[in-house]
Amino acid sequence: HLLEGSVSRDNAQMRVALRLVDLRDSAHPWTETYQRSTKDIFVLQSEITRAVAAHLQRQLSPTEKAALEKPPTSDLQAYDFYLQVRALPSLTLETEGDQFLSDAKRAISMMDEAVTRDPSFVAAYCELSRWHDELYSWRNVLPPNERTIDHRNLAEAAMEKARRLEPDSGQVRLTLARHALQVSNNLEEAEIQVELARQVLPNDVQVETIAARVARRKDRWEEAIRGLEKAVSLEPRSIPTSYLLANTYRYMRRYADYERTMEGVLALTPPDKYGSLPIERGWAWFEKSGDLALVREALAAQISAQQIDQSDTTTLQIMLAIWSHDADGISRLLSAKHGPIGWNGVAYPDGWFEALAARMRGDDAAAGDAFSRA
């Protein structure tokens, strides 16, 4: 079945037109039109849910019925803020660092306003906690003035308010699981909370993604693959989810699956937003074959397209020179003005690269001195 709909609003009135199509008999759709005051939006949501479930001859669970009876908030302006924040991307392949910081600050401001307007708005507390968690996770690359803010404590304060209001809420459980995985590094707690969330939120892409990330961190790789494959099937146009699945295949040396999944990621990504994706694809081919040609080709293309910044360019060129055993290339890159060079979350001193170049030249004394400095 396919549910289609359109929503229009005129001042305080809204009109919702629905069309439910059985794809085996698309000539006879079920249609319905609703006209309500905007203040009745949650009543209308419940009415539509019940009508569609009845038409599909499906029973709502007690938990689902209870959720329909209780609106998320009584304040429509707070709910509008919440919907705007939910529409913002997290830091993904599609967002630049500066844009992410701007979005995060905007999201936190709107969620602070939402919970001020309605202190019992559980979903807003969860969203507020999530954005503080995001900023805490990226604290090392934030501007210095942003690093002084205790985002972890702020996330936990919002999370605790949500937990006190609705301790068994699926959204609260999901927030607790994400925080345990991403911030406090408590995998046992993350696993407990995500399983509790799954009982309330079946077929939720975030639940499946976090469960898979927990499994991956605990070296249960096949389980992680199954979870991410399910997450992608639930939300096939989610670039971050497909990208996470692709890299999990890569870590497992399942290069054919990696290549197939990365083709899907690139198909969903606008070409002017590729960034380092083609280069990463080249590295995977190098891991599989020992052939650096695709890395060189992709790096040159993305530099020419100005899709990677100078810092990333230097890092990638250094990596390419190391794997090519190009000692002169390493020295040439180090002699030019450059910022910190590093990957996988580690910034390496220049002495490290000087030592590798010296070792490639067979100069053991120079390599020893440089390694000592590093």
Side-chain angles (χ1 to χ4, degrees), residues 266-282:
L266 289 167
L268 291 168
T269 306
D272 63 342
K273 301 290 186 183
Y274 278 172
S276 63
L277 286 177
I279 303 166
E280 293 180 38
R281 197 178 182 188

Side-chain angles (χ1 to χ4, degrees), residues 91-360:
L91 185 58
T92 69
L93 306 176
E94 307 151 275
T95 52
E96 299 292 338
D98 290 345
Q99 182 62 50
F100 164 70
L101 180 58
S102 173
D103 286 347
K105 292 171 75 172
R106 180 178 167 221
I108 287 169
S109 175
M110 284 196 287
M111 289 300 87
D112 279 334
E113 176 67 17
V115 296
T116 299
R117 295 180 69 95
D118 180 1
S120 63
F121 192 177
V122 172
Y125 284 119
C126 291
E127 199 65 19
L128 180 60
S129 177
R130 182 175 78 87
W131 281 96
H132 279 302
D133 277 350
E134 292 274 7
L135 286 174
Y136 178 82
S137 297
W138 291 93
R139 61 195 180 281
N140 292 332
V141 297
L142 294 177
N145 62 310
E146 294 291 334
R147 297 179 203 171
T148 60
I149 301 172
D150 190 350
H151 288 291
R152 175 172 180 170
N153 186 57
L154 291 167
E156 289 172 352
M159 195 166 56
E160 180 60 20
K161 288 176 181 177
R163 190 188 64 79
R164 288 180 179 176
L165 287 164
E166 289 187 29
D168 296 323
S169 157
Q171 200 165 7
V172 171
R173 297 291 190 187
L174 181 59
T175 302
L176 292 168
R178 181 188 289 111
H179 184 82
L181 171 69
Q182 190 169 318
V183 175
S184 58
N185 197 31
N186 185 338
L187 299 184
E188 285 67 32
E189 173 69 7
E191 191 159 34
I192 290 169
Q193 294 298 338
V194 81
E195 287 305 318
L196 290 169
R198 181 181 273 137
Q199 294 172 21
V200 187
L201 301 172
N203 295 323
D204 183 280
V205 68
Q206 290 301 317
V207 168
E208 298 305 327
T209 300
I210 291 174
R213 289 173 60 196
V214 171
R216 201 172 82 165
R217 288 268 289 276
K218 299 188 92 170
D219 287 332
R220 302 200 303 261
W221 291 85
E222 294 296 342
E223 180 184 331
I225 287 289
R226 289 193 298 272
L228 289 171
E229 287 175 341
K230 181 176 181 181
V232 170
S233 75
L234 291 169
E235 199 170 307
R237 296 190 63 80
S238 168
I239 295 174
T241 308
S242 292
Y243 179 72
L244 186 60
L245 174 60
N247 276 314
T248 306
Y249 284 138
R250 179 179 169 186
Y251 297 149
M252 296 176 72
R253 309 296 188 259
R254 289 173 55 172
Y255 292 111
D257 290 323
Y258 168 83
E259 180 64 21
R260 171 180 50 79
T261 309
M262 278 298 287
E263 283 181 2
V265 170
L266 289 167
L268 291 168
T269 306
D272 63 342
K273 301 290 186 183
Y274 278 172
S276 63
L277 286 177
I279 303 166
E280 293 180 38
R281 197 178 182 188
W283 282 121
W285 175 255
F286 166 61
E287 290 169 11
K288 177 184 178 182
S289 66
D291 183 357
L292 283 164
L294 283 183
V295 178
R296 291 194 181 93
E297 179 184 316
L299 180 56
Q302 295 311 97
I303 291 174
S304 176
Q306 298 182 325
Q307 289 198 28
I308 50 177
D309 63 28
Q310 185 56 50
S311 175
D312 287 341
T313 297
T314 302
T315 294
L316 291 163
Q317 288 174 327
I318 282 273
M319 290 174 67
L320 183 57
I322 290 170
W323 285 110
S324 303
H325 286 210
D326 179 4
D328 292 341
I330 294 172
S331 299
R332 185 170 59 254
L333 288 163
L334 293 175
S335 66
K337 184 180 179 181
H338 62 274
I341 302 172
W343 56 89
N344 290 340
V346 179
Y348 292 86
D350 283 5
W352 171 258
F353 302 107
E354 292 167 3
L356 293 179
R359 195 165 63 179
M360 290 171 193

